[in-house]
Amino acid sequence: MRREDILGACGLGLETAGGYCGEWLGGGDALEVRTPIDGSVLGRVRQCTRADYERIVARAHTAFERFRLVPAPRRGEIVRQLGEALRGKKAALGALVTLEMGKIRVEGEGEVQEMIDVCDFATGLSRQLHGLTMPSERPGHRMLEQWHPLGVVGVITAFNFPVAVWSWNAALALVCGDAVLWKPSRKTPLSALAVTRIAARVLEENGVDPAVASLCVGPDADVGEALLADRRIPLVSATGSCRMGRRVAEVVGARLGRTLLELGGNNALIVMPSADLDLAARAVVFGAVGTTGQRCTSTRRLIVHERVADALVERLVRAYGQVRIGDPLADGTLMGPLVSSEAADAMQRAITVACAHGGRVVHGGERLEGPAHAGGGWVRPCILEAPVGLAIVRQETFAPILYVQRVPDLEAAIALQNEVPQGLSSAVFTRDVNEAEAFLGPAGSDCGIANVNLGTSGAEIGGAFGGEKDTGGGRESGSDAWKAYMRRQTCTINGSGALPLAQGIVFE
């Protein structure tokens, strides 16, 4: 598909308003959106002003007050239709994701498939928002808990998954009876505009105020800070850097609001002597190179037992040499560009620092120049041997750098994995059941995700997604993550005709 065809299929023109609440708003400066593939302009988005934000959040709150009364199974049916609408736009929307942030086309379409899957999950969930009944200590009394819609949920998303993360939050929030106000990354606003158009159409066809799925593209100083401080938004779900997450937690926490934070990941994959090295190598390559190393679950550290380190690194060098780098829209490409030249600069700085303190590049790491690599973000993925204790390894560089560190045993491997500030995803490759159980046990991995014989990247939607420590502690998508989007209420019903007090208290 040509770029013009992709944009047209997604309902986008050369210039589009960046705010939506049943009407399109955007009285601020135009934001120029460029593709990282060659740096050319894809379109312009008129950003929201503070006045636009106020109108959007007011409309979203009014829409919530009506939408919360819609029965949950009916809300689930609307989300099912949203999934069907996304299915019909999978190819075009996936290509738009590729154009805007640079991931290869199959990953762009995979991201849309993830949205579809989450909608399917949420549809079933709409009939399972269960409370509990509990025995009362007082005769003739009944205790129960129930769950009610929470309000307008603020959803802040990052560039690397410009549409899927919205769905993790929005599909669940909608079946829970909430409205959603989406603030997407200013690097990838076109994908958000396209998804919002799809959601608006589905809501309108079902007689629901489309402000239930609102959008606000704008500067952090005007829109972002207002959203964080707004008491009309009881929950802010934010995906992004640890630095951003600390600001979100600070401002929302000051007003005693809720946060759901999914932040940085400095993910390690441990390989023990009994591991299937070919399987491990495949997992490492996808985890470290997929999405050009720009997943929060990307494999950044390879912690390998010293007995098999040379054999595994040899396999990786061969595999890295076969990674096809090029146009992410073309068939057969395995790696496109980083999102920007600044991201490539950060990668080069990290490599320089690592090598200045004892690290050694084993493969790649250089920038790619020339007409085929315009845009500034083209690099070759890097394998870098790093001595234990190298400080730069503790930092998350959002780029395809794989730090290889050698250890004598599993105990040292787990300690090294856990000593970084982040705690999102982790993996171990071993055929030893005792090693696997140790890794999964209370003294094992301290991450929110712990895998055995598969990589750190590519989580399914059925499990709650998120991590510990500087990763923020939030959980999105599957399992019982829906509870974050509702308010819990404990109820006691007295049918006794008397008024006994709890704990045996007599007050007469």
Side-chain angles (χ1 to χ4, degrees), residues 291-460:
T291 324
T292 319
Q294 296 172 118
R295 290 178 177 234
C296 51
T297 54
S298 289
T299 304
R300 310 213 177 278
R301 297 179 293 144
L302 175 61
I303 302 173
V304 57
H305 193 285
E306 54 197 20
R307 277 169 38 199
V308 294
D310 287 341
L312 181 56
V313 170
E314 181 181 337
R315 284 171 167 81
L316 291 175
V317 170
R318 285 201 306 268
Y320 269 52
Q322 298 170 27
V323 172
R324 294 180 295 277
I325 304 170
D327 181 359
L329 286 168
D331 292 338
T333 300
L334 293 180
M335 187 176 125
L338 286 164
V339 72
S340 65
S341 60
E342 290 78 13
D345 292 341
M347 177 177 175
Q348 297 306 305
R349 287 194 298 271
I351 293 171
T352 299
V353 169
C355 291
H357 292 84
R360 178 177 66 89
V361 171
V362 176
H363 175 88
E366 67 270 24
R367 294 185 89 137
L368 301 178
E369 309 287 352
H373 302 115
W378 293 90
V379 297
R380 199 175 301 281
C382 179
I383 303 172
L384 196 153
E385 288 264 10
V388 172
L390 190 63
I392 191 70
V393 178
R394 290 173 51 83
Q395 301 175 23
E396 181 191 28
T397 301
F398 224 55
I401 304 176
L402 178 68
Y403 296 109
V404 180
Q405 298 184 295
R406 302 174 183 234
V407 291
D409 52 42
L410 180 63
E411 183 179 3
I414 291 174
L416 187 59
Q417 176 202 284
N418 291 348
E419 64 91 28
V420 300
Q422 310 86 355
L424 179 52
S425 187
S426 59
V428 66
F429 275 75
T430 178
R431 290 192 178 105
D432 186 323
V433 67
N434 292 329
E435 289 178 341
E437 289 297 326
F439 179 77
L440 297 177
S445 171
D446 65 359
C447 297
I449 298 169
N451 297 329
V452 176
N453 293 329
L454 70 160
T456 64
S457 197
E460 298 180 42

Side-chain angles (χ1 to χ4, degrees), residues 13-180:
L14 294 178
E15 185 163 306
T16 312
Y20 183 75
C21 58
E23 60 179 323
W24 289 96
L25 303 171
D29 295 337
L31 174 66
E32 198 169 66
V33 184
R34 294 179 178 270
T35 175
I37 297 173
D38 60 13
S40 62
V41 175
L42 291 176
R44 293 173 179 80
V45 177
R46 297 192 306 277
Q47 299 181 88
C48 293
T49 63
R50 180 61 180 270
D52 292 329
Y53 167 82
E54 291 295 336
R55 182 168 179 81
I56 290 168
V57 75
R59 282 287 305 273
H61 184 72
T62 299
F64 159 72
E65 291 179 329
R66 292 192 292 267
F67 189 59
R68 63 185 173 182
L69 302 178
V70 176
R74 175 60 186 155
R75 301 192 298 254
E77 167 58 18
I78 294 169
V79 171
R80 185 196 68 80
Q81 293 177 34
L82 173 60
E84 288 299 307
L86 291 168
R87 187 174 278 112
K89 291 286 188 180
K90 179 178 175 178
L93 191 53
L96 178 60
V97 168
T98 294
L99 268 181
E100 198 168 30
M101 72 79 52
K103 66 176 62 174
I104 60 175
R105 181 170 53 83
V106 292
E107 286 195 88
E109 291 190 11
E111 185 170 345
V112 181
Q113 184 61 50
E114 195 166 343
M115 301 176 77
I116 297 165
D117 293 345
V118 170
C119 287
D120 288 346
F121 175 87
T123 299
L125 179 66
S126 68
R127 294 180 181 269
Q128 301 179 71
L129 304 174
H130 303 309
L132 300 171
T133 58
M134 295 150 283
S136 172
E137 67 183 67
R138 292 173 283 188
H141 287 59
R142 181 165 65 93
M143 289 180 64
L144 59 94
E145 70 174 22
Q146 58 186 0
W147 297 83
H148 289 305
L150 181 62
V152 179
V153 175
V155 178
I156 300 171
T157 60
F159 76 87
N160 59 331
F161 280 85
V163 293
V165 172
W166 173 82
S167 70
W168 296 353
N169 290 275
L172 270 63
L174 290 174
V175 299
C176 290
D178 300 328
V180 175

